[in-house]
Amino acid sequence: MDLSDALMITGNALCTPEQAQADFSQAFAKLPPTVRTETLRLDQVMRQIHAARFKARAFNDLAEDGMSAETLKRLYYGKGKSSGLGWIAIGTAALIDHRQCGGCGLAGCHHQREVAIPADTLKAWRKLAVTNDKRGLSESWKVIIRDLISGKEIAGAGTWRDVFAKAAPFAQPPENCPWSLHRPPPGWSEASFMRHKADKLLYELGRKGSFAAWNELPEVRIDLTTLRPFEWLVVDDHRLDFKVFVTMPDGKVQLVELWGLFVMDVATRMIVSFALKPRVAREDGTVMAFEHRDMQHLITHVLTTYGVPKDFSQRWIVENAAAAVSTDCERLLDFVTSGRVTIKRSGIQVGDFHLSGFPERWGNYRGKRWLESYFGPLDVVLGGVKGQMGSDYWSKPGSFDARQAFGNRLLKLLEKCTPEKRAKLALPFEWAGDAHWLVSEAVELLNHRTDHQLEGFQEVRFFAYDTTSQALPLCPQLAKLHGTEQHLTTFSQVPQQLQELWLNNGGRPRRITPAEKMEMHRPEMLRLAPEAVQDLLFDEVTKYKGNPIIWRGGDALDLEIKRARIKTSVRFYGKLLNIEQGQKVIARLNTDKPELGVWLLNEKRQYLGHLRHSTDPTHDDVEGLHKMMGAQIAALNQGKKRLNHLTNAPQDALERIGELEQLTDTINTMTGKDDEDAEEIPALPESAGFIRAVKTRTPSTVAASGDAEAFLKSLQS
């Protein structure tokens, strides 16, 4: 092998001999002088060995200090780790000491080389990947390769000709791109790209938003061992995994979903209250769902049943969706409980931006994760209820569609059946009333479950006198709760050997149940006064069409109430004293039955009076039209009096009013039916006490109190 052959071998295989020799010469010239001199000396030794007839003798004869026969043999043949890289195979390049070459780039050089994929190309690939909601990484790589093959310019890499020139700088570029998805450029394989993929946090943040990326962030842990019962209450809604039949007030029957609103005490993980509501379809196509009033009444039920803690405040963790508390209800709770009850809102989270260009919006279920994790066991316990439909489409039982179709065909028949006949039918779904009892039993079962791994729950050992007797708790608090203190005293007085026998009879230790923890650590509670409960049962309205409610005069008040998704304007009439035109007021009423009227308070929550409900007059209701016009003119007269007082020039004010004076005199002659003769609608049981208190005395004989509760107490005194 001559020098020309050696130079050709060490060059690029795609190059011509002349180009290969030039490439090697250029790289060899960049070597440090000492390395270059030593390489040339060893090359002469290798040539002598190559020319010798007996190679083994030549290795021994040419061996010298620092260069043994074995070393010469390795350099010549390239054995061991250098197999295939000996002088006989690649020529002079095999003799270069690559520990000192500084990165020559010739065969055998172990120095790190330039990354084959440019940084800008990787950046473009990552951007495509994080904006693809499906298989973003793989598909984005395919997009890059397809664009490269088609001749498009790739960020940081150029066209395929630029990439080819970098991969084979001494080869003649072909007319067409030699690469494809199945044979990508060297170093551009999908696996090579995957080694540079973005971290999972960035990937999930770009694809799904903050909600999906939350699991990749540092975990926030809360120690609940110091939390006391009724200190934190969390509320959330849940769709039960079965449908039910429900009878409407008009006698029709519907097959609908059943939703629940559950209240959990965080310290004990016990469900303290719940409400169920069928998703009944309305005539306008909408469905009934939980509203602010349902949440308000559920809170009232909990506070009435259990009360509020005496020595610490109570926090309700709610969201901004179905299980939400209106701002008016929050203010009312703060007022009625003297600040003992506060509201903490956990969702909805609204992000600043999303990579798609749209703002993101997502529910923060982690704010109520204790209750969210409860719904899984609840669905398991209720898994035997008829009409299971699964948590989603993919988990739906195969027989559900046929069962639902059969249930829909039964609706007309069930409408004609009496309750007695319905009870005898084997129906494919439960009735909503029966489902309530089934859910109640499931909640009670989970409140007393012992097979759980809830954090912060004491583990208790049990003992039994024999294997057939009752297991008794080895815990003073639990023994007192179950009335077994005497057995615990007996256990403490027997010998240790007998104690161990009784403990073996008692079985494995278990954690206390949520209900047991509630009873063991229940704090001292304060019950709400009946007047406070009545306050909470009534809705509070402070705005009309987005603005504060203003008393406009004319003994009339317009309010806007919301029923489901529909907002309705209603009017109330009545004479009020000690109120000025333009004054802000707070309206208290039952929006389900506005015909009961409305009670007004001022901004300091001082009682002002009661107004009766009035329906809008029809086109042929002359008396109703007269009454409404009279209220308008009465309000105008009040405004004129205020203007006269303000300007201190009655005559000038009347002249500014102009021709309205004559119109006022004309319309004032038209009087409507006296309100005192109108038939009174009986109050609901929950509001009867409040209404009787209001009617006990008129506002003119009762001085305004500091707040509504004090006023009610003064009426009862």
Side-chain angles (χ1 to χ4, degrees):
M1 176 186 295
D2 56 16
L3 181 59
S4 178
D5 294 334
L7 294 177
M8 184 183 69
I9 291 175
T10 57
N12 194 316
L14 297 177
C15 301
T16 62
E18 294 77 10
Q19 291 173 331
Q21 184 174 355
D23 182 43
F24 178 82
S25 300
Q26 184 180 8
F28 190 80
K30 293 180 180 180
L31 291 174
T34 55
V35 176
R36 190 165 58 247
T37 301
E38 181 63 16
T39 301
L40 293 175
R41 187 186 70 80
L42 290 176
D43 183 74
Q44 294 298 326
V45 174
M46 292 297 110
R47 290 176 182 278
Q48 294 179 34
I49 295 174
H50 187 67
R53 183 176 180 182
F54 299 100
K55 300 292 189 295
R57 182 182 298 176
F59 289 137
N60 293 325
D61 293 340
L62 295 175
E64 53 187 17
D65 293 340
M67 190 69 66
S68 64
E70 289 297 325
T71 301
L72 294 175
K73 187 176 181 180
R74 177 178 56 81
L75 292 174
Y76 185 83
Y77 290 111
K79 293 184 178 180
K81 294 183 179 179
S82 300
S83 179
L85 295 178
W87 183 87
I88 195 173
I90 63 173
T92 309
L95 307 177
I96 299 174
D97 186 358
H98 293 293
R99 295 172 297 179
Q100 304 178 29
C101 72
C104 62
L106 297 175
C109 182
H110 56 75
H111 284 267
Q112 185 177 0
R113 300 179 182 180
E114 183 182 358
V115 178
I117 310 173
D120 289 343
T121 304
L122 292 174
K123 183 178 180 180
W125 169 69
R126 294 191 194 102
K127 181 178 180 181
L128 290 172
V130 299
T131 55
N132 190 316
D133 193 44
K134 300 299 184 295
R135 297 180 58 187
L137 293 170
S138 179
E139 183 60 31
S140 299
W141 172 79
K142 293 178 181 178
V143 170
I144 294 289
I145 300 300
R146 282 196 292 261
D147 288 348
L148 182 68
I149 296 171
S150 63
K152 294 182 181 179
E153 185 171 351
I154 306 300
T159 64
W160 69 265
R161 296 181 182 277
D162 298 321
V163 177
F164 184 88
K166 187 175 181 180
F170 308 107
Q172 185 68 27
E175 294 183 2
N176 299 318
C177 181
W179 299 311
S180 65
L181 289 175
H182 306 287
R183 193 182 68 164
W188 283 52
S189 65
E190 184 177 354
S192 298
F193 272 78
M194 291 299 180
R195 286 195 292 269
H196 303 281
K197 65 182 179 182
D199 59 277
K200 193 172 182 181
L201 171 63
L202 184 61
Y203 188 59
E204 293 297 336
L205 188 63
R207 292 174 64 245
K208 302 294 185 180
S210 303
F211 178 77
W214 198 274
N215 289 329
E216 308 306 321
L217 299 174
E219 184 178 359
V220 178
R221 300 182 61 84
I222 301 178
D223 183 7
L224 300 177
T225 56
T226 59
L227 193 66
R228 294 160 291 192
F230 290 105
E231 188 171 4
W232 282 9
L233 296 175
V234 59
V235 189
D236 196 16
D237 62 320
H238 177 64
R239 191 207 70 174
L240 301 173
D241 286 348
F242 55 87
K243 286 192 172 184
V244 295
F245 288 119
V246 59
T247 304
M248 303 299 296
D250 58 2
K252 295 183 179 180
V253 179
Q254 293 188 22
L255 179 60
V256 297
E257 295 179 353
L258 186 63
W259 283 71
L261 199 59
F262 296 85
V263 183
M264 171 183 280
D265 174 68
V266 178
T268 63
R269 317 299 204 281
M270 175 180 171
I271 298 296
V272 297
S273 184
F274 72 92
L276 300 180
K277 193 167 190 177
R279 284 288 179 96
V280 175
R282 302 187 182 91
E283 295 182 357
D284 59 359
T286 60
V287 295
M288 294 179 61
F290 285 114
E291 302 172 1
H292 286 168
R293 297 197 72 250
D294 301 313
M295 185 66 185
Q296 181 174 336
H297 289 177
L298 186 61
I299 292 177
T300 305
H301 177 263
V302 173
L303 297 182
T304 305
T305 305
Y306 301 98
V308 295
K310 179 181 179 180
D311 300 324
F312 53 89
S313 61
Q314 184 179 89
R315 171 181 290 184
W316 285 73
I317 303 174
V318 301
E319 60 180 16
N320 286 323
V325 175
S326 66
T327 305
D328 291 333
C329 178
E330 184 176 355
R331 286 195 296 262
L332 183 61
L333 280 171
D334 180 73
F335 165 73
V336 170
T337 63
S338 300
R340 294 179 178 271
V341 176
T342 59
I343 302 298
K344 170 67 175 178
R345 304 182 190 276
S346 65
I348 303 286
Q349 301 293 335
V350 180
D352 294 332
F353 68 93
H354 194 273
L355 290 183
S356 62
F358 298 94
E360 55 177 317
R361 187 176 177 88
W362 49 278
N364 181 11
Y365 73 92
R366 292 169 182 81
K368 49 190 185 308
R369 56 188 176 276
W370 308 284
L371 187 51
E372 291 280 358
S373 61
Y374 174 87
F375 293 143
L378 177 64
D379 290 334
V380 171
V381 174
L382 293 172
V385 179
K386 294 184 294 185
Q388 293 290 317
M389 59 181 175
S391 58
D392 52 38
Y393 178 83
W394 302 107
S395 60
K396 179 177 62 177
S399 61
F400 175 76
D401 290 336
R403 181 186 292 268
Q404 181 173 240
F406 179 61
N408 289 329
R409 290 197 296 269
L410 290 176
L411 297 180
K412 295 297 182 182
L413 175 63
L414 294 175
E415 292 173 2
K416 301 177 181 179
C417 293
T418 61
E420 293 76 14
K421 291 183 179 180
R422 291 177 180 177
K424 298 179 181 180
L425 298 176
L427 300 176
F429 296 91
E430 299 285 355
W431 288 96
D434 297 333
H436 187 279
W437 291 109
L438 295 174
V439 176
S440 299
E441 293 176 359
V443 168
E444 188 70 12
L445 177 64
L446 292 177
N447 283 343
H448 291 83
R449 68 189 186 277
T450 59
D451 55 336
H452 64 80
Q453 298 296 324
L454 298 174
E455 295 182 3
F457 280 66
Q458 180 183 355
E459 190 173 74
V460 179
R461 295 198 65 180
F462 287 77
F463 68 94
Y465 299 125
D466 54 57
T467 56
T468 59
S469 62
Q470 178 185 0
L472 305 170
L474 194 64
C475 172
Q477 290 178 300
L478 202 57
K480 182 178 180 180
L481 181 63
H482 293 289
T484 60
E485 302 100 313
Q486 185 61 39
H487 296 282
L488 189 59
T489 303
T490 303
F491 178 87
S492 62
Q493 296 174 350
V494 299
Q496 182 178 358
Q497 185 176 2
L498 185 57
Q499 287 181 354
E500 293 178 356
L501 176 62
W502 287 357
L503 288 173
N504 291 333
N505 295 335
R508 295 180 301 173
R510 70 163 176 84
R511 297 176 186 262
I512 60 176
T513 67
E516 289 173 341
K517 186 173 183 179
M518 173 64 77
E519 293 301 322
M520 291 167 57
H521 303 283
R522 183 194 290 263
E524 186 177 356
M525 307 292 284
L526 297 175
R527 294 293 181 90
L528 293 183
E531 295 85 358
V533 175
Q534 293 169 4
D535 258 358
L536 288 175
L537 287 174
F538 270 70
D539 301 300
E540 184 167 300
V541 183
T542 59
K543 292 184 180 297
Y544 177 67
K545 295 184 178 180
N547 299 313
I549 300 177
I550 303 296
W551 177 255
R552 302 180 183 277
D555 298 336
L557 180 70
D558 291 324
L559 294 179
E560 188 177 60
I561 61 176
K562 185 177 180 181
R563 296 174 177 174
R565 298 181 180 179
I566 302 176
K567 292 183 178 180
T568 306
S569 294
V570 293
R571 169 160 288 195
F572 300 90
Y573 284 102
K575 295 182 178 180
L576 298 180
L577 302 178
N578 301 324
I579 186 172
E580 296 181 359
Q581 193 176 31
Q583 180 179 340
K584 293 182 181 180
V585 295
I586 300 173
R588 304 297 310 286
L589 74 160
N590 183 345
T591 55
D592 286 338
K593 285 185 174 287
E595 59 268 21
L596 296 178
V598 62
W599 290 262
L600 295 186
L601 309 174
N602 61 19
E603 291 184 286
K604 296 181 179 180
R605 308 197 71 85
Q606 295 171 334
Y607 180 76
L608 297 175
H610 174 264
L611 304 180
R612 291 184 175 86
H613 174 258
S614 176
T615 57
D616 291 339
T618 60
H619 70 284
D620 56 352
D621 184 5
V622 179
E623 289 188 356
L625 289 171
H626 287 177
K627 181 179 179 180
M628 183 169 292
M629 295 173 66
Q632 185 181 40
I633 298 305
L636 176 62
N637 289 335
Q638 293 177 14
K640 289 167 55 180
K641 292 180 181 179
R642 293 170 60 210
L643 179 62
N644 292 341
H645 179 74
L646 179 64
T647 60
N648 199 22
Q651 186 62 35
D652 294 341
L654 290 177
E655 291 178 357
R656 283 192 293 270
I657 298 294
E659 66 275 3
L660 289 178
E661 177 67 27
Q662 183 179 358
L663 178 62
T664 300
D665 295 337
T666 303
I667 299 181
N668 277 341
T669 60
M670 300 183 292
T671 58
K673 187 177 181 180
D674 189 358
D675 289 343
E676 300 295 330
D677 298 332
E679 182 179 355
E680 184 173 300
I681 300 177
L684 294 176
E686 60 265 27
S687 60
F690 184 83
I691 298 175
R692 285 196 299 270
V694 172
K695 290 184 177 180
T696 302
R697 302 176 186 177
T698 61
S700 60
T701 60
V702 179
S705 303
D707 53 54
E709 184 176 359
F711 174 77
L712 290 175
K713 291 182 179 179
S714 69
L715 293 179
Q716 295 180 346
S717 61

